[in-house]
Amino acid sequence: MIRISRPYIASTSQSDLQTIAAARKENKELLINQLKASYKQHYDAWKPVPFSQSSGVNKAFVDVGIDIQLGSWVSLGPCRLGLGKALNKYKRLIIVGYPGYGSSMLATQCTYEWCNGTQESYFKDVEILILIRLRQVGKTHSFYKAIKKVVLPRESTLNEQDVKTVLESSPSVLVILDGLDEYLELDKDTSEIMKIIAGEICPQLQVITTTRYMPKIKAPQTARLRLTGLCSKAQEEYLRKTVVGDDVRVVLRLKERLQENHLLEDLCEVPFFFVMLAHLSHAGNDFRACNTLTNVFQLIVKCLHSFAKRKGTGTITKKAAFWKFEDDHRKLDEIAFKGLSGRDQHTRWRKEILREKLGKKFYEQYVQIGVLVEEGAGYQTEVRFYHKIFCEWYAAHYLAADRFEVEESLENMHPCDLQYFYRFVCGLYPNIARNVIERVKTVEGGDLVAVMCISELQGQVKDILDSVTDLCSREIKLDKRQSKYLQRCLVHLLEIASTAKIPVSSLELRGCLRSVNVFSGNLHLQIPICIPSLSFTTVKQLWIEEEGKEFTENEIADILKYAEMWLQLRSLWFRYCLLPWSFKAKSGSVLQSRMVEVFWIPDFAGTIYTLKSEGSKCMWKHGGGILMKEEYQREVETFQQYERKQMTYC
């Protein structure tokens, strides 16, 4: 092989040019072949659940939804289709996939489609695809060194300069950087990898970066996307493809079983939990009695141990130690906690070191049940948890009230990155939940995690009412793009506030209002869930944001009638929707007499109209005068133009 380590000069002979071109072509073919061999080894070994046989990522892949941020979030449809749309428009993408939403699986699926030339895939036309799992590169700054270190096989004769030359001369290169939040050099401006993400170097590369949460990085030319939950159709497709086969009756029966319990139904929006619950339920395990996430995960772990016992493979299953190690996992708890709580998260360990710390028998048992996974990394074997959620589960066991000062222990553990850890802690140790929740809600973005922590307490909220009061003093947002589980947790928070007569300063309903029933006194959300008006008696300000919706006269009259029941209400806002120019509603005068102001903001221009009621007649005013018909028509045209633009983007 001829090395091309420096650019040729003008006097290079024709034969030398041909030799150089041939060497570059040879290096490119070698690089592509080695990449495909490396990716195949990984995607063929993919397991949908820890105890299963390898089935390959294409069989296990679950196609979630994906949104793009264009001012507001806009759906791009199913992930693989939507990702192709975004890549046709942008050079650089950052995809947020919260824990369990399958960002790493998506990255692996992309390599499968590239390697196999999947016909309907965007990736079939990409010449070279580079996937780097950032958790494996350690403190490596160099992009090309990272490729050599963790992507190419050990025996590869290609060096860093060879790889650089090939990539620079290739017309179509896509780089996927998986797990930015696990990159140890995330905060280093000197990192070449971070400069590539920001577009400061290698602008010719197309780059996808996945992360569990959006870090504070400068990437102005980067499109931001997020993975959303599994729809019903995607769930059925997975059940047929991977779990039960094409028997429609069995598919529907298993799906109904997972929907009987609202908690399970909501968790099944998260691909990790859906896949786990589907396989374990099909194997005869019943999760329907679980009422918290902690209960669900306790049963998941128990099922993994039980499956290994029944299977009886290996020698350790015949020994009493197997039964002991299911309950006594204190050493693993400590290792998991210290891995997550350090300044730099450390969630991979050398096999020899971890086996020595845990003990050979314990280590072998947890590898056997699939909680721990061995994988090659360079010239050594490293061990990680099957999924980071398992690491958070065992770390949560280590946080006992008599062992730690909560504040000191959690200093480096950000709730947005480790939400399951905090939820498990509250579920396992209710006696320290108050301290944990207080810590969580003081961190930027921690309010929603605090709400989910409260849901783990199974009604034991007496000691956390101060925390509830503080959360309710801030704006509470119910958004259609939140998971069903989170929406139910927020509704639960409102119910606690109502029962304890705790004031709610502001409630915002974003795209989640389905209807109101003034006769039954219920408000219906899209989830679906019915909320009695009693739950909202302490709300002082209500925002209804229904982007693109045109309310009828009857609908707006019902909402105003419903608002009469909200005894503490002081203002009602409608935003980014179209309301009637005038309508009849006696409730308008009632609210006006109670000094409750009603506002309307039609579009992003921000013009604010105020409701004016005389008897049963309601109209809108702006400044000192009534909104005239001609002005209203201009608002209608502006509103409709914006909606057409949103609809035609994709």
Side-chain angles (χ1 to χ4, degrees):
M1 177 185 299
I2 296 178
R3 296 288 181 198
I4 311 299
S5 57
R6 64 176 182 232
Y8 61 87
I9 58 176
S11 61
T12 305
S13 67
Q14 185 63 32
S15 61
D16 286 343
L17 289 175
Q18 291 174 347
T19 301
I20 291 171
R24 284 178 172 169
K25 182 179 179 182
E26 180 185 342
N27 283 355
K28 178 182 286 189
E29 291 175 352
L30 183 59
L31 175 63
I32 291 174
N33 289 335
Q34 289 183 353
L35 289 173
K36 289 186 175 181
S38 176
Y39 299 153
K40 185 177 190 303
Q41 184 179 17
H42 189 77
Y43 67 63
D44 277 348
W46 195 277
K47 294 181 178 183
V49 288
F51 59 77
S52 67
Q53 297 296 318
S54 299
S55 61
V57 73
N58 190 53
K59 189 175 181 181
F61 182 74
V62 186
D63 204 359
V64 299
I66 191 167
D67 293 348
I68 186 169
Q69 193 171 34
L70 300 170
S72 60
W73 289 99
V74 177
S75 173
L76 292 176
C79 186
R80 281 185 285 185
L81 177 63
L83 188 55
K85 292 177 182 178
L87 287 168
N88 282 324
K89 291 179 177 287
Y90 299 97
K91 272 283 191 181
R92 278 166 168 73
L93 310 175
I94 289 185
I95 302 176
V96 176
Y98 297 115
Y101 275 75
S103 55
S104 292
M105 177 181 269
L106 172 61
T108 304
Q109 177 67 20
C110 292
T111 65
Y112 172 88
E113 294 179 9
W114 177 68
C115 291
N116 293 277
T118 303
Q119 189 58 37
E120 67 278 9
S121 172
Y122 172 89
F123 304 101
K124 71 178 182 355
D125 296 323
V126 173
E127 187 176 26
I128 298 177
L129 189 151
I130 303 290
L131 168 61
I132 300 177
R133 295 177 178 84
L134 293 174
R135 66 173 181 264
Q136 296 179 338
V137 304
K139 295 189 176 183
T140 301
H141 282 210
S142 167
F143 172 60
Y144 298 103
K145 185 176 181 180
I147 295 174
K148 176 68 176 174
K149 178 180 178 181
V150 302
V151 182
L152 296 181
R154 303 176 186 176
E155 65 277 7
S156 176
T157 56
L158 295 169
N159 62 28
E160 295 170 31
Q161 183 60 45
D162 294 330
V163 175
K164 182 177 182 180
T165 302
V166 169
L167 296 190
E168 288 180 345
S169 62
S170 298
S172 173
V173 179
L174 173 64
V175 177
I176 302 177
L177 302 171
D178 181 38
L180 179 61
D181 54 290
E182 296 183 279
Y183 181 39
L184 297 183
E185 300 297 278
L186 174 60
D187 299 322
K188 301 292 191 302
D189 293 335
T190 56
S191 169
E192 191 174 85
I193 292 174
M194 295 306 298
K195 290 181 179 180
I196 288 175
I197 292 172
E200 296 175 11
I201 61 174
C202 301
Q204 79 281 8
L205 300 178
Q206 196 164 30
V207 182
I208 299 174
T209 305
T210 74
T211 178
R212 288 189 176 95
Y213 65 97
M214 187 65 72
K216 294 180 179 179
I217 60 173
K218 297 177 181 178
Q221 304 302 317
T222 300
R224 284 166 165 76
L225 299 94
R226 66 179 180 186
L227 301 180
T228 59
L230 277 174
C231 66
S232 179
K233 182 179 179 181
Q235 292 177 2
E236 289 183 14
E237 180 183 346
Y238 181 83
L239 292 176
R240 286 196 303 270
K241 183 175 71 171
T242 308
V243 184
V244 301
D246 291 326
D247 190 325
V248 176
R249 290 175 298 178
V250 178
V251 169
L252 293 177
R253 188 159 58 244
L254 180 55
K255 190 177 176 185
E256 287 172 2
R257 191 177 187 185
L258 294 173
Q259 291 178 337
E260 286 182 24
N261 179 325
H262 278 313
L263 174 65
L264 299 184
E265 180 185 11
D266 295 345
L267 286 178
C268 283
E269 286 189 343
V270 182
F272 170 81
F273 286 110
F274 169 72
V275 170
M276 196 76 69
L277 292 170
H279 283 275
L280 291 173
S281 296
H282 184 57
N285 300 287
D286 194 348
F287 290 82
R288 287 173 291 183
C290 298
N291 56 9
T292 67
L293 176 66
T294 305
N295 295 155
V296 170
F297 215 80
Q298 281 173 327
L299 187 50
I300 286 175
V301 173
K302 184 177 180 63
C303 289
L304 297 182
H305 284 277
S306 297
F307 181 84
K309 292 171 188 173
R310 292 197 305 270
K311 191 175 179 182
T313 56
T315 57
I316 61 171
T317 55
K318 301 176 182 178
K319 299 180 180 179
F322 190 97
W323 301 83
K324 174 187 175 184
F325 293 151
E326 178 180 350
D327 298 319
D328 186 1
H329 40 74
R330 285 172 292 180
K331 291 181 180 178
L332 185 61
D333 300 342
E334 181 178 4
I335 290 169
F337 181 81
K338 289 183 177 179
L340 294 178
S341 62
R343 188 172 296 277
D344 296 321
Q345 286 188 19
H346 181 75
T347 56
R348 299 172 64 83
W349 301 268
R350 288 181 58 182
K351 176 181 177 179
E352 297 78 11
I353 294 175
L354 188 63
R355 185 169 57 181
E356 182 179 350
K357 288 183 177 180
L358 295 175
K360 183 173 181 293
K361 293 179 181 179
F362 183 100
Y363 174 85
E364 290 177 350
Q365 175 170 329
Y366 276 73
V367 170
Q368 179 182 325
I369 66 175
V371 168
L372 296 176
V373 177
E374 298 178 345
E375 58 184 23
Y379 294 92
Q380 62 188 23
T381 300
E382 292 189 341
V383 185
R384 60 174 175 83
F385 283 91
Y386 171 78
H387 193 283
K388 193 176 181 181
I389 292 175
F390 279 98
C391 188
E392 294 180 59
W393 170 255
Y394 287 100
H397 282 78
Y398 190 64
L399 192 66
D402 59 350
R403 192 180 303 172
F404 293 108
E405 289 295 330
V406 172
E407 285 293 330
E408 294 178 6
S409 304
L410 306 181
E411 182 179 352
N412 297 317
M413 304 179 77
H414 198 289
C416 292
D417 183 32
L418 298 168
Q419 60 155 295
Y420 292 108
F421 165 78
Y422 285 99
R423 291 158 72 177
F424 290 147
V425 168
C426 290
L428 292 167
Y429 303 112
N431 57 317
I432 62 170
R434 182 177 180 276
N435 291 338
V436 172
I437 292 169
E438 282 297 311
R439 156 67 185 169
V440 167
K441 65 185 178 62
T442 61
V443 177
E444 182 181 357
D447 282 6
L448 296 181
V449 180
V451 171
M452 290 186 282
C453 287
I454 290 172
S455 71
E456 293 298 309
L457 298 178
Q458 301 184 54
Q460 303 175 48
V461 297
K462 182 179 179 181
D463 295 333
I464 60 163
L465 289 181
D466 287 347
S467 296
V468 173
T469 300
D470 185 48
L471 288 168
C472 290
S473 70
R474 314 174 193 186
E475 188 176 57
I476 297 175
K477 295 180 182 179
L478 276 160
D479 193 317
K480 68 177 180 180
R481 299 200 183 279
Q482 293 168 336
S483 67
K484 291 179 182 178
Y485 180 83
L486 177 53
Q487 289 185 57
R488 291 185 196 278
C489 291
L490 288 165
V491 170
H492 179 54
L493 178 69
L494 292 170
E495 291 171 342
I496 295 172
S498 178
T499 302
K501 293 183 171 48
I502 295 172
V504 177
S505 66
S506 181
L507 171 64
E508 185 170 335
L509 305 179
R510 287 186 174 180
C512 57
L513 176 63
R514 181 158 57 96
S515 63
V516 297
N517 189 320
V518 294
F519 300 104
S520 65
N522 290 335
L523 184 149
H524 300 264
L525 300 182
Q526 298 286 0
I527 310 178
I529 186 173
C530 295
I531 311 171
S533 59
L534 179 65
S535 301
F536 295 141
T537 54
T538 58
V539 175
K540 294 184 177 181
Q541 181 174 249
L542 173 64
W543 289 77
I544 296 177
E545 181 180 307
E546 291 289 330
E547 191 171 334
K549 181 176 176 59
E550 298 185 24
F551 283 93
T552 65
E553 291 187 27
N554 288 336
E555 287 174 331
I556 189 68
D558 283 348
I559 292 174
L560 295 180
K561 179 68 175 176
Y562 192 80
E564 282 189 55
M565 307 177 193
W566 297 32
L567 303 179
Q568 302 300 318
L569 192 66
R570 291 295 172 263
S571 62
L572 171 60
W573 294 76
F574 294 90
R575 185 164 57 184
Y576 309 150
C577 54
L578 194 60
L579 302 185
W581 173 55
S582 66
F583 53 94
K584 291 184 177 181
K586 292 181 180 179
S587 298
S589 293
V590 175
L591 293 173
Q592 194 169 275
S593 68
R594 284 172 38 191
M595 306 299 289
V596 178
E597 294 187 284
V598 181
F599 302 101
W600 172 38
I601 306 175
D603 53 47
F604 289 94
T607 304
I608 301 176
Y609 296 98
T610 307
L611 188 69
K612 179 177 176 57
S613 299
E614 294 180 0
S616 62
K617 185 179 180 181
C618 297
M619 295 191 72
W620 300 101
K621 66 177 183 178
H622 174 59
I626 296 294
L627 176 66
M628 304 304 292
K629 188 72 172 179
E630 296 78 12
E631 296 174 299
Y632 176 77
Q633 194 56 44
R634 284 196 292 271
E635 288 287 5
V636 171
E637 291 172 1
T638 302
F639 177 85
Q640 292 175 343
Q641 285 173 3
Y642 175 78
E643 287 307 307
R644 284 195 293 270
K645 182 180 178 182
Q646 292 293 91
M647 293 293 290
T648 57
Y649 172 79
C650 301

